[in-house]
Each structure stands twice: as structure tokens, then as C-alpha cells.
Amino acid sequence: NAGVTQTPKFQVLKTGQSMTLQCAQDMNHEYMSWYRQDPGMGLRLIHYSVGAGITDQGEVPNGYNVSRSTTEDFPLRLLSAAPSQTSVYFCASRYGPGDPQYFGPGTRLLVL
Amino acid sequence: KNQVEQSPQSLIILEGKNCTLQCNYTVSPFSNLRWYKQDTGRGPVSLTIMTFSENTKSNGRYTATLDADTKQSSLHITASQLSDSASYICVVYKSGGSYIPTFGRGTSLIVHP
């Protein structure tokens, strides 16, 4: 199993550009989440999904969209990038609500 | 205000020494608490889970404790190794619904030879 994969590993954007961060898992997990990690702060939940077709907002959802058309994929879309979205983004999945989360390797995003 | 507080923020120890990391939380209602290890440049990896009824749980050289009454947890690392250098993150999960986690800011541990 590849586990949780994320692409790209690194990305530089200009303010106002849009892009999609890809996340895929091959463990048949129902629960998937997107987090951002900033220096000196804990991981913060952006959006999450409890199954295909079901998504909900987390702690910091503004400026991001998600969709979950399949169990395997959970892309995160930045609608109009801002410098405040410079961060490391992690995708995670888990089988059920009480199970451990498996994290991807992260995407490092710089918005100029 | 962060509902999960970790201390110390950073810690430097010599290889072979023991250390203890602390986690205090106010998250309620409580479901479980996990400790994750995050190596530099990688995603976090789960080390151990503590549920309400558990006091102590070990995973190799890692031993976690939980006092649900005082809402405190600790992670003890025995006979530290260079590979233990990482950030250790305490995560508390609420019960009910989708069990949204609350992350602490982590303790950065550096093990020197």
C-alpha cells in the first residue's frame, strides 16, 4: 500500500492564482482531512470528509474548497491564493472516528 | 485559546538519557488522546492512544500516561536515541459526531550524541 500520497511536494504561487492540492489514499478509509501547519502553531483543520459525497468545514476553512467524489481522493482547492496561505499542508485519512490518522508527506506552499 | 497545551516547548538531551513530555488539555467531552511523532519534513505518525479508562500504555521505549481527572498526559522516553529527535504532538479527540481532533503545538526534542 502506498498509504496517503500528496502532490505536489512543493509549490510557489503568485497572489491571486488558484491551484489544487491532490490527496489520495489506498487504504479504503472513510475519513479524510486537510490540515495546515504553521511555525509555532499546532496543526489546524481546514476541511474534512466522513465519506464520499460528504464534506464539512474545520477550524480555518476560508479561502479553501474541497470535494469528495470517490473514497480514495480528497483534493483541496485554493480559490485565490494569498500570502497568508503560505504553509505546509497535510492530508490525513483514518478508517473510523476513533482510529489513528495516517498523514501524507505534506505539500509546502509559498504564496508571493 | 488552544485547548491542548504542551510543555516544554523544546528540549535537548544527551543520547541514552530519559525524558518526559507533558500535555494538559481542556477539550470536552473527551474521547481519547494520542501522541504523534513528527520527524522533520514528514507527516506525523501515531505512537500511542490513551482512552478514558487507561492510565498507562507502552510502545517500546515510549510510555504514555493519562490522568483523566486532572486532564493531564505525559510521554516518557526511555534510553533516548538519536532517532528520537523529532516533534512530539499531543492530540485530543472529542467524543460524539466525527471526533474532531485538537492538536497541541508540540514539543521539539533534540537528542545529542
Side-chain angles (χ1 to χ4, degrees):
Chain A
N1 288 348
V4 180
T5 58
Q6 292 183 237
T7 55
K9 285 188 170 62
F10 304 95
Q11 184 70 48
V12 179
L13 290 179
K14 294 181 180 178
T15 297
Q17 287 184 316
S18 62
M19 78 161 294
T20 298
L21 280 64
Q22 301 292 344
C23 174
Q25 53 90 12
D26 60 359
M27 296 175 282
N28 202 32
H29 287 171
E30 291 293 331
Y31 287 67
M32 295 187 75
S33 304
W34 274 104
Y35 297 91
R36 60 178 290 172
Q37 187 174 40
D38 301 295
M41 302 190 70
L43 283 145
R44 292 184 291 170
L45 182 64
I46 303 172
H47 286 284
Y48 66 98
S49 169
V50 299
I54 306 170
T55 63
D56 206 345
Q57 296 182 351
E59 180 185 357
V60 288
N62 292 342
Y64 307 95
N65 272 357
V66 292
S67 60
R68 185 95 180 272
S69 56
T70 66
T71 299
E72 294 78 19
D73 300 298
F74 191 42
L76 178 72
R77 280 181 288 277
L78 278 70
L79 309 173
S80 177
S84 61
Q85 293 179 305
T86 293
S87 188
V88 181
Y89 292 85
F90 288 100
C91 179
S93 74
R94 51 183 161 149
Y95 183 73
D99 293 313
Q101 295 194 85
Y102 292 83
F103 285 82
T107 293
R108 285 145 187 81
L109 177 67
L110 173 63
V111 182
L112 302 174
Chain B
K1 182 183 176 182
N2 200 339
Q3 299 180 62
V4 179
E5 299 288 346
Q6 292 188 243
S7 61
Q9 187 174 354
S10 61
L11 184 61
I12 301 174
I13 62 174
L14 291 175
E15 187 178 13
K17 297 296 185 182
N18 304 335
C19 66
T20 300
L21 315 180
Q22 300 288 346
C23 175
N24 297 341
Y25 64 92
T26 58
V27 174
S28 182
F30 175 86
S31 172
N32 62 75
L33 181 150
R34 289 187 182 272
W35 284 93
Y36 284 81
K37 179 187 179 188
Q38 184 176 22
D39 292 316
T40 301
R42 306 184 78 117
V45 175
S46 179
L47 287 175
T48 185
I49 177 175
M50 304 296 292
T51 58
F52 189 85
S53 58
E54 294 174 312
N55 298 118
T56 302
K57 184 176 286 186
S58 292
N59 177 5
R61 294 181 296 103
Y62 301 103
T63 299
T65 66
L66 175 66
D67 185 333
D69 292 329
T70 61
K71 299 187 177 181
Q72 295 179 325
S73 177
S74 67
L75 181 69
H76 185 76
I77 304 175
T78 303
S80 62
Q81 300 176 357
L82 298 180
S83 60
D84 292 331
S85 295
S87 179
Y88 292 84
I89 304 172
C90 175
V91 186
V92 181
Y93 290 79
K94 284 185 177 181
S95 63
S98 55
Y99 292 77
I100 293 180
T102 302
F103 289 77
R105 296 179 182 181
T107 292
S108 175
L109 174 66
I110 297 175
V111 180
H112 276 308

